[in-house]
Amino acid sequence: MNALDVPVWTTILGNFGFPIAITIYLFYRFEKKIEKLEVVILELNEVIKDGYHKLR
């Protein structure tokens, strides 16, 4: 890499760094929400099973 390549990399990071950072942040947030959703679905499954067995 020579001295002329440095401004190119600075421009690339300036243009794409922010969108990449936002994407990583959103993936992290969605992962937490998906994990919570999984727990709630499993709990709902147990409630449905218990209700079904009580009706029999």
Side-chain angles (χ1 to χ4, degrees):
M1 178 173 6
N2 59 29
L4 297 176
D5 292 337
V6 174
V8 172
W9 283 107
T10 304
T11 304
I12 290 172
L13 288 176
N15 290 337
F16 297 107
F18 180 73
I20 290 171
I22 294 297
T23 302
I24 291 170
Y25 171 73
L26 290 175
F27 279 150
Y28 178 72
R29 286 195 55 199
F30 286 145
E31 181 183 4
K32 284 183 178 180
K33 290 183 181 196
I34 289 173
E35 288 173 355
K36 288 180 183 178
L37 183 60
E38 181 182 1
V39 169
V40 170
I41 289 171
L42 291 174
E43 291 173 358
L44 180 60
N45 188 27
E46 292 300 318
V47 168
I48 291 171
K49 280 182 186 177
D50 291 344
Y52 177 75
H53 290 299
K54 289 180 182 177
L55 292 175
R56 289 184 132 199

